[in-house]
Amino acid sequence: MQEIDNGLCQFVEQNILPLYDAFDAAHQRDHAMRVIDASLRLAQYYDVNVDMVYCSAAYHDIGLCEGREVHHIASARMMRCDQRLRRWFDEGQISTMAEAVEDHRASSAQEPRSIYGRIVAEADHDIDPMRIIQRTIQYGLFHYPHFSREQHWQRMFQHLHEKYAEGGYLKLWIPESKNAVKLAELRAIIADERRLRTLFEQLFDAA
């Protein structure tokens, strides 16, 4: 696999990744790094520009500063408007990356428009059952600090069922990823309400 441009790496590390430090615990710099790493692993299976994969993954959630519901749109707009990227990419490449950023959201009803969007969307899923449950709790604590413990449980329970359970809106796009196996593990936990509640209690107290 080709190496990522060193100047681009320095730019992202100094100017883009620090933006994640202001977000909730589920979307901080460690999350961005996991998505970048997963995206680059998936990129090895395809004939793609790794600089574009890297940059798309780095920018994918920066629009959270404008709110969760529109973050994918805001992230894409911020990428298109970032004149600094013209040092490494032409307008067509920036447009493709912005589309990938906009298409990564799991609740989107449409398939990502390019392989770059499919890679970033798949990497963003990053399905690890315990981490998914933990991040869901962290997100709730950050955005709904006034909720009671029971309300946090109900919010988490509803979110996991809507997104990850059988019939949920989550879609997988890259067959080479390990997400399908991990999703089956998570679904087994979600289907066992007693086990899920036990995990919630443990992770909630540790949050």
Side-chain angles (χ1 to χ4, degrees), residues 151-165:
Q151 286 175 311
H152 279 294
W153 156 252
Q154 292 295 336
R155 194 203 71 82
M156 186 201 77
F157 185 83
Q158 181 179 357
H159 172 73
L160 292 178
H161 275 267
E162 289 178 350
K163 183 173 182 178
Y164 297 102

Side-chain angles (χ1 to χ4, degrees), residues 31 34-36 38-40 42-43 53 56-58 60-61 68 71-72 97 99-108 110-127 132 135 163-164 169-175 177 179:
H31 167 68
R34 280 197 298 270
V35 173
I36 289 171
S39 294
L40 293 174
L42 294 175
V53 172
S56 299
H60 84 283
D61 270 349
R68 178 68 174 170
H71 83 282
H72 55 304
M97 292 189 297
E99 288 180 353
V101 168
E102 189 170 344
D103 292 347
H104 86 272
R105 193 175 186 191
S107 58
S108 174
Q110 297 182 341
E111 181 176 349
R113 287 166 279 186
S114 73
I115 184 59
Y116 296 94
R118 291 194 291 274
I119 286 173
V120 175
E122 189 74 25
D124 189 43
H125 295 335
D126 188 27
I127 298 176
I132 291 292
R135 290 182 67 226
K163 183 173 182 178
Y164 297 102
Y169 62 76
L170 180 75
K171 297 179 179 65
L172 302 181
W173 303 112
I174 303 293
S177 82
N179 281 331

Side-chain angles (χ1 to χ4, degrees), residues 130 133-134 137 141 148-154 156-157 160 189 192-207:
M130 293 304 101
I133 296 170
Q134 181 184 46
I137 292 170
L141 288 169
S148 67
R149 189 186 194 95
E150 187 62 25
Q151 286 175 311
H152 279 294
W153 156 252
Q154 292 295 336
M156 186 201 77
F157 185 83
L160 292 178
I189 295 173
D192 186 343
E193 186 172 341
R194 180 177 295 181
R195 182 183 178 191
L196 183 60
R197 181 71 192 228
T198 298
L199 290 172
F200 166 80
E201 298 294 344
Q202 295 172 349
L203 294 172
F204 187 88
D205 288 336

Side-chain angles (χ1 to χ4, degrees), residues 75-93:
S75 297
R77 187 190 70 247
M78 293 165 73
M79 175 172 251
R80 287 191 179 96
C81 293
D82 195 339
Q83 295 297 322
R84 297 169 296 182
L85 290 178
R86 275 70 183 173
R87 175 179 172 184
W88 298 281
F89 305 105
D90 61 34
E91 293 301 322
Q93 291 173 318

